[in-house]
Amino acid sequence: MFVTQAYAPGETLLGVTADWVRALGLRFPGVDVIAQRGPGAPLLLSRARTPLRVASMGKDRGVGRVGQGAMLVASLARAARRARVIFVHMVPRYALLAAPVARLAGVPIVLWYAHGTAGRALRLAMPFVDRVVTPTRDSFPLAGPGIDGKVRVTGHGIDTGRHVPASGVAEPGLVLSAGRLSPVKRHELAIQAVAGGPEGSRLVIAGSPLHAADVAYREHLVGLAYSAPYAPPLYPSPGEAPSPTPPPLRRERGYLNHPQSPPSQPVRGASTGEGLSAL
């Protein structure tokens, strides 16, 4: 079973979850997905045995947090006895809600977590989580007895084939900065870096806002970009529906990454696509 915040075709903020589900489908006879928002999916997992079943907790239909939790537990209870593992993506609260069902069914819980903050829910969930998977050891904020033995570093799990430059179409001076439009991503560093770069450099920021604060941050970036000596486009444009495949993808000459702290491991070509410069 795969529990996540969003699962839908064209999902831009959590689109990697669809890749993971497809990969799991190649290794297991079936995958049950329970998503906080899953447009078009039923509120409960169906009882029919199919290779892929998707249920929504109902956020996209206006269901409140308590109702979402009830939908999650009900779907888990329907499918737990045939599950090999309950995989929770990024939300420790879901692991807490899954714990009673998992213990009754004898199913382990695996939590994917990549964030610098250790909130109360994460600390409460850890005794019930059998394994934590995270991109780097620095991306999981807890440590100590009873925790270190559960943590496994796996990398980001991104299909690098999506980022291999297309032959013969690279645009000189084009730099791509991809990531959610959020203050924590510090996209202003990309704008400043490219503004001070060689003449003819062009920056494309590919990403979408998630929260109200992100929308305000987006407008801040637009103002900053157009006050620079050049005008780098922000994609999508204001009011435009997000696209899973931004136009500049696979045409860029460089990929700009700006983490909050220095990376613990060097960025290699395989992490961004062979032939790209990682900055």
Side-chain angles (χ1 to χ4, degrees):
M1 284 190 288
F2 193 102
V3 185
T4 183
Q5 291 169 287
Y7 184 83
E11 168 66 40
T12 57
L13 294 172
L14 292 169
V16 71
T17 58
D19 289 343
W20 291 3
V21 168
R22 280 192 293 269
L24 290 170
L26 297 175
R27 293 165 173 80
F28 296 94
V31 182
D32 292 333
V33 179
I34 308 172
Q36 185 184 35
R37 57 184 191 275
L43 290 178
L44 290 175
L45 287 174
S46 67
R47 296 191 181 276
R49 291 179 176 271
T50 58
L52 173 63
R53 301 185 308 166
V54 182
S56 172
M57 300 179 212
K59 182 176 181 178
D60 44 310
R61 306 178 199 181
V63 177
R65 177 170 288 196
V66 174
Q68 292 173 32
M71 292 297 102
L72 170 61
V73 172
S75 284
L76 287 169
R78 281 193 169 202
R81 293 194 178 278
R82 64 170 171 271
R84 296 278 297 276
V85 64
I86 297 174
F87 186 96
V88 176
H89 180 258
M90 278 302 296
V91 185
R93 182 176 75 256
Y94 295 163
L96 275 172
L97 291 170
V101 175
R103 291 299 178 262
L104 286 172
V107 179
I109 297 175
V110 175
L111 172 66
W112 166 272
Y113 195 85
H115 200 281
T117 302
R120 183 167 177 262
L122 178 62
R123 297 178 187 278
L124 290 174
M126 283 307 298
F128 306 101
V129 169
D130 298 276
R131 183 78 71 221
V132 173
V133 285
T134 189
T136 70
R137 189 58 186 89
D138 294 342
S139 60
F140 187 73
L142 298 181
I147 292 178
D148 292 339
K150 295 182 177 183
V151 178
R152 296 292 183 272
V153 174
T154 62
H156 282 275
I158 295 173
D159 180 4
T160 57
R162 293 179 181 273
H163 303 282
V164 175
S167 177
V169 297
E171 295 184 17
L174 176 60
V175 177
L176 172 66
S177 181
R180 187 181 119 206
L181 291 182
S182 170
V184 73
K185 301 299 184 181
R186 302 193 300 169
H187 287 291
E188 47 271 278
L189 294 182
I191 293 174
Q192 294 165 8
V194 175
E199 184 177 353
S201 297
R202 187 166 71 93
L203 170 68
V204 172
I205 300 176
S208 302
L210 179 61
H211 305 297
D214 298 342
V215 175
Y217 178 67
R218 188 187 200 290
E219 299 309 312
H220 163 68
L221 290 178
V222 170
L224 179 62
Y226 283 91
S227 67
Y230 67 109
L234 288 172
Y235 184 88
S237 299
E240 181 181 346
S243 165
T245 310
L249 191 63
R250 303 184 67 195
R251 300 205 310 268
E252 69 275 12
R253 282 295 181 92
Y255 176 79
L256 190 63
N257 183 37
H258 28 85
Q260 285 190 295
S261 57
S264 59
Q265 299 176 358
V267 178
R268 296 178 173 85
S271 67
T272 58
E274 297 298 332
L276 291 183
S277 299
L279 310 176

